Each structure stands twice: as structure tokens, then as C-alpha cells.
Amino acid sequence: MNAPECSFGLHRTETLPLENSYAGLPPAFYARLLPTPIPAPYLVGASTRAAELIGLDPAEFGKTAFLETFAGNRGLPESIPLAAVYSGHQFGVWAGQLGDGRAVLLGDAPSAGGRMELQLKGSGLTPYSRMGDGRAVLRSSIREFLCSEAMAALGIPSSRALSVVGSDMTVMRESPETGAVATRLAPTFIRFGSFEHWSYRDRREELQVLADYVIDRFYPDLRTVPNPCQALLREATRRTADLVAQWQAVGFMHGVMNTDNMSILGITIDYGPFGFMEAFDAGHICNHSDHQGRYAYQMQPKIGQWNCYALAQALLPLIGDIEDAQSALEIYKPAFENKLDDLLHAKLGLRSKESDDGTLINDMFALLQANHADFTLFFRRLGELQVDNPADDTPVRDLFIDRLAFDAWAVQYRARLRRENSADAARRAAMHAVNPKFVLRNYLAQIAIEKAQNKDFSEVARLLSVLENPFDEQPDNETYANLPPDWANELEVSCSS
Ligand code: AMP
Ligand code: MG
């Protein structure tokens, strides 16, 4: 009889004002299809912040319309669901056509920051599923959900996650697992591999259509420059460099930086076997399927650049001159180095730059490496350091096996702080605003996943709320900042998802 109640100005699920911008591209860019329904969907987790971003009333969570819609069981009135096509390089090798093998785009909704696409992941077979089953497991869906929202809270460009809807359907991986459907939000999910797809097929016309679509919608300022596609390459390269610098600074490892997982907008997408650095090791490989360590922590900057070269190769027919493509790529190195330098200065609470700061920073990384100190706790506790009181260094000092080596570095650091008259309280506040206390450690995700697999979803919600405020002291959640327990050493994350 009456419409379900909703808070003023917020939408119910079925009144989300969807448009279908991507569906306006020629039919070769996608396959129209409906998601495959799942039996008896239930709510595993939902993000109030993500909902509010698209004006959806969080009171909808758990209601039948929300569950059925974001399970893929029920369509939205204005939606033209589709799977987009793209290709890519996997682990450095051309892999041909890859996706969307298990994602369905519902359309795009308005948000404060421009329109946001709503995409289901794990919603069944598409014409691009290859050998896959079109599904995603609960485990990887929870990880993607939590990490998307955690990254956004850290201020790192990322796709967002609205919800995870579970079902008792079984999905076969190494062993039978519970399946789920995650709903992701991003201005677009167009990736480097979307361009490679047309370029490798010598389809210049489609390549141009895609470039025009991206420029008009997301880089409108580039429309009027002499060579818009060269400018697109430069801007995507700059944003990718910026993004990877932000990953390095927070210790985030993506795990599968294949070109089909690189956003043309320079945002983090396609969370799989990611990890956050704990005991520092620059060579750490978070993805157990990555036997060569191609995507190890210290490799990410180089791989980001490699991927931009792949994008340049794809865009070359539109750019025209190879030298123009090369000159656009030149921005990568300085953009990355400058961004990382800025971020590391901020992480160390340094307001100025000195010519010799590289030594202080390199010595810090050498110290972290030699002692395998916890990356997150190191910066957080370093924020508590008092310039004139080395006797109170214990919390940060205790992260190092070789305490004397820490002391020696701290002498250097203190001297540097004194040279810019650094005040303890102000520096502490500034450092705590950039050095998170809470990151999505694998073991925290694992606890939430195991409970969810037993139908207790409380930990997904609680962990989300902790990660939504990563820079705050949270006295009730102190344990979420703890070092991983011993059993966490046994955890393996791989491409299986
Ligand atoms: P990823 O490296 O995890 O992003 O996977 C590469 C591509 O494989 C994705 O773009 C998907 O289209 C496809 N894919 C992964 N898992 C599945 C699956 N279970 N069913 C169908 N396609 C899949
Ligand atoms: Mg992918």
C-alpha cells in the first residue's frame, strides 16, 4: 500500500536514479545479459558510507528489495545490465580476452563526486567467462568489500563496495566454498586492458570510440588539447604513478597488477590476493600464486610503469607518433618519486625537505628490513617520539630486534627534527593523521571470514567500522592494531577467488 519508509532525500533501492552510460557504447563493447539468480540471499555486509555516496538509504540494507537486487535476482527499473569486454597482460604475458567473466554492470547513479557505476561481481556466467563459473566465493568477496572501504578511508583512490550478499550455493575452488555476490561502485571499471582489447585486434575505430568516451566523461579538460589521446596517456600514467606511491607509503600490495586490473582512472580496482605489509620485507610477495615475485612490494613501482607502457602501446594508433607516446610516459618516474617523497616526509612528520633526507629515509628502510619491524606500527609509534626524551622510545624501539640500530637511526632522526624546530605535539597530530593505526591485516579479515562462513556476520560489520576510522585512536578496538598472531603465518592468499 504505502511506499516503504525512507530517510529524507535518500533513495529506496528500486528508486535509484540509474542511467546506462556504458550501454550507450556500440554493442561490440559488451554483452547485454541478466545476472544469474542465487538461492535465498542474505546480507553479509553493507557499507553505509558507500550507500550514502549514491544517495541510497542505508535503512534498505537487509530489506528484500535490496537483497534481491544486489544478489542479482531482481532487476532495477531503469537498468540495462551488461558485461563489458576487455583483454590484458597477465604476469607480463599477453592473455587475450579476459572479462567481464563474472561481473555485471547495472548502470550508473549520481553521487557527489560524479556518476558511479554499480557492478555486481560473482553474478554468474557471461560470454566472457572462459573456463570460469562466473561466481565469487564469500571469502574473497568479504576481503574485497572490507579493503575497498578501508582504502577509501585511508584516502587512497579506490573502487567502493556497497554490499556482500551471501547464499548457501556451493562454489567449487580447491575445496567447496560458500558463494557470494559483491556490489562495487566506481566512476568506471574501464581498465588498461579495455584499450588493449581493441588495439590487439587492430580495431582502430572501436579504440577511438573508447578513448573518446573516457576523455569526454572523465578527462573533459583534455578534449581541447592538440593530441587528446597523448594527454590521456600522460594523465593516466601520472595518476597510476601517484596511486602506486600511495600504495607503497601505506604498505599495500595489490598482488595481481595485471593490465586488466589497472584502472584508466588510476584508482585501485579488482581486489584479490592483496596484503598489507606487516613484518617489513621489501621483497614480500602477498600472492601465493605469484611464484616469480613479479608483484612483490618493491616491484610495484616498476610494474606500474610497465603497465603504463602497455597502455601506451594500446593507444599508439590514436597518438600517432611513438615519440609522443614516449614523452607522455616520461611523467611516471618523477610523478612517482615526488609523490612518494612527499608521503614519506609526511609519515616522518617532516615539514621541510633537506638535500640529505634521502639518507635518513634509506637508512630507515634498511633498519625496517633488517629487523622486519611491523610497517604500520612503526610509523604509528614513531609519532609518539619526543625529541628530547629518548628514554621514552620503548614502544617504537621494541619493534626492533637490534635496539641499538634503532637508537642510532633515532639520533639521526632527532637531529633532523631539531633542525626544523619540530614541536612534539604538533608533529604527533600530523603524523597520526597520515599514519594509520588500523589496516586490513590478513588475520583480521580471516577472523571475520570464518565467522561469516558460520553465519555470524557481526565481525564483518565491526571490522568495517574499525577500518572506516583508521587514523583515530579507538580505545574499544585496541586489539585490532595488534601484531598478527602466530597462526597468521599459515595464511595463504592466492588468485583463487
Ligand atoms: P583477476 O586476475 O582475478 O582479475 O581475473 C582475471 C579475469 O578472469 C577476470 O577479469 C574475470 O573476468 C575472469 N575470472 C576470474 N574468476 C572467474 C570466474 N570464477 N568465472 C569467470 N571468470 C572469472
Ligand atoms: Mg580482474
Side-chain angles (χ1 to χ4, degrees):
M1 193 177 51
N2 292 326
E5 283 180 31
C6 86
S7 315
F8 180 75
L10 293 174
H11 288 282
R12 284 177 290 122
T13 306
E14 54 273 48
T15 63
L16 269 174
L18 275 201
E19 288 179 12
N20 298 277
S21 307
Y22 195 89
L25 285 167
F29 284 86
Y30 53 83
R32 285 180 61 168
L33 80 174
L34 295 175
T36 311
I38 57 175
Y42 49 80
L43 190 69
V44 173
S47 162
T48 299
R49 289 185 185 180
E52 285 173 347
L53 199 60
I54 53 166
L56 176 66
D57 191 347
E60 291 287 290
F61 298 165
K63 289 189 181 167
T64 305
F66 182 94
L67 283 176
E68 295 287 341
T69 301
F70 298 111
N73 295 359
R74 180 189 294 184
L76 285 168
E78 306 299 328
S79 171
I80 303 175
L82 61 86
V85 69
Y86 57 81
S87 297
H89 281 85
Q90 295 186 315
F91 292 89
V93 179
W94 177 244
Q97 184 173 300
L98 292 171
D100 285 327
R102 53 171 167 173
V104 169
L105 175 63
L106 300 180
D108 48 281
S111 83
R115 301 196 69 85
M116 287 292 244
E117 290 185 349
L118 279 72
Q119 190 200 57
L120 305 183
K121 181 170 177 179
S123 50
L125 290 173
T126 81
Y128 318 119
S129 296
R130 298 176 294 147
M131 307 297 282
D133 58 4
R135 291 300 180 190
V137 297
L138 180 64
R139 159 178 62 82
S140 65
S141 304
I142 290 174
R143 282 171 53 85
E144 173 147 22
F145 171 75
L146 290 171
C147 202
S148 305
E149 292 305 287
M151 292 288 266
L154 288 165
I156 300 177
S158 175
S159 59
R160 303 294 299 267
L162 175 65
S163 60
V164 175
V165 173
S167 169
D168 288 343
M169 68 177 169
T170 299
V171 173
M172 274 312 295
R173 294 294 180 263
E174 284 77 10
S175 54
E177 292 194 47
T178 311
V181 176
T183 299
R184 317 193 286 182
L185 311 176
T188 181
F189 289 92
I190 295 174
R191 13 181 117 242
F192 289 12
S194 310
F195 291 91
E196 291 179 285
H197 181 77
W198 298 116
S199 195
Y200 271 72
R201 293 170 178 226
D202 280 330
R203 298 279 288 269
R204 193 198 149 100
E205 200 179 312
E206 283 87 351
L207 191 60
Q208 185 74 59
V209 167
L210 186 62
D212 286 343
Y213 177 84
V214 167
I215 291 169
D216 289 345
R217 279 182 77 78
F218 307 110
Y219 296 94
D221 294 350
L222 308 184
R223 181 41 70 209
T224 50
V225 305
N227 189 339
C229 290
Q230 181 199 27
L232 172 63
L233 174 61
R234 181 183 293 114
E235 189 55 18
T237 299
R238 191 187 61 73
R239 289 195 194 182
T240 302
D242 251 49
L243 179 68
V244 177
Q246 292 176 79
W247 289 355
Q248 298 305 101
V250 79
F252 174 78
M253 294 160 282
H254 183 283
V256 205
M257 290 174 71
N258 293 337
T259 57
D260 55 300
N261 292 336
M262 302 297 291
S263 158
I264 194 64
L265 303 182
I267 65 175
T268 315
I269 56 166
D270 282 20
Y271 292 88
F274 63 83
F276 280 86
M277 184 67 79
E278 297 186 306
F280 187 80
D281 172 13
H284 184 70
I285 306 163
C286 65
N287 174 1
H288 276 74
S289 310
D290 178 10
H291 306 294
Q292 310 291 321
R294 179 178 172 86
Y295 301 136
Y297 173 79
Q298 66 190 356
M299 293 293 288
Q300 294 193 124
K302 261 193 210 130
I303 294 295
Q305 188 176 31
W306 192 97
N307 289 335
C308 291
Y309 273 79
L311 178 63
Q313 184 75 47
L315 288 172
L316 193 55
L318 305 181
I319 295 172
D321 190 331
I322 194 153
E323 279 168 20
D324 287 340
Q326 271 162 347
S327 84
L329 290 165
E330 277 168 16
I331 201 168
Y332 188 92
K333 196 165 178 280
F336 173 77
E337 286 171 358
N338 291 335
K339 182 75 179 183
L340 185 60
D341 196 55
D342 289 351
L343 292 171
L344 290 173
H345 275 80
K347 287 179 81 67
L348 288 171
L350 297 172
R351 285 172 286 130
S352 59
K353 291 200 178 177
E354 286 186 4
S355 56
D356 206 25
D357 285 344
T359 308
L360 179 75
I361 290 170
N362 289 340
D363 289 354
M364 173 193 80
F365 277 112
L367 183 72
L368 290 171
Q369 178 77 34
N371 289 269
H372 298 306
D374 185 84
F375 192 71
T376 301
L377 286 182
F378 168 68
F379 286 105
R380 189 72 186 188
R381 292 186 185 173
L382 193 66
E384 304 285 343
L385 180 135
Q386 300 162 43
V387 172
D388 294 319
N389 189 9
D392 270 10
D393 284 353
T394 311
V396 59
R397 189 175 187 262
D398 279 357
L399 294 170
F400 295 85
I401 303 158
D402 184 351
R403 310 255 153 93
L404 296 178
F406 170 79
D407 293 342
W409 181 82
V411 167
Q412 213 184 322
Y413 180 51
R414 286 194 157 87
R416 177 67 181 80
L417 293 175
R418 286 196 185 99
R419 283 202 296 283
E420 64 173 39
N421 299 316
S422 188
D424 288 342
R427 187 181 64 258
R428 177 186 185 280
M431 288 174 73
H432 281 7
V434 295
N435 294 321
K437 177 156 182 165
F438 304 100
V439 294
L440 183 53
R441 296 173 184 272
N442 270 341
Y443 84 89
L444 296 174
Q446 188 62 26
I447 292 170
I449 288 164
E450 284 176 19
K451 287 194 173 170
Q453 285 166 337
N454 291 313
K455 294 275 173 63
D456 172 0
F457 309 119
S458 60
E459 190 57 25
V460 173
R462 176 149 182 207
L463 186 48
L464 173 64
S465 78
V466 171
L467 296 170
E468 280 178 337
N469 302 292
F471 302 110
D472 293 356
E473 291 297 327
Q474 301 182 36
D476 293 342
N477 296 318
E478 200 61 30
T479 56
Y480 288 78
N482 283 354
L483 291 169
D486 286 343
W487 59 261
N489 290 330
E490 313 294 314
L491 287 176
E492 289 188 357
V493 287
S494 71
C495 282
S496 160
S497 60

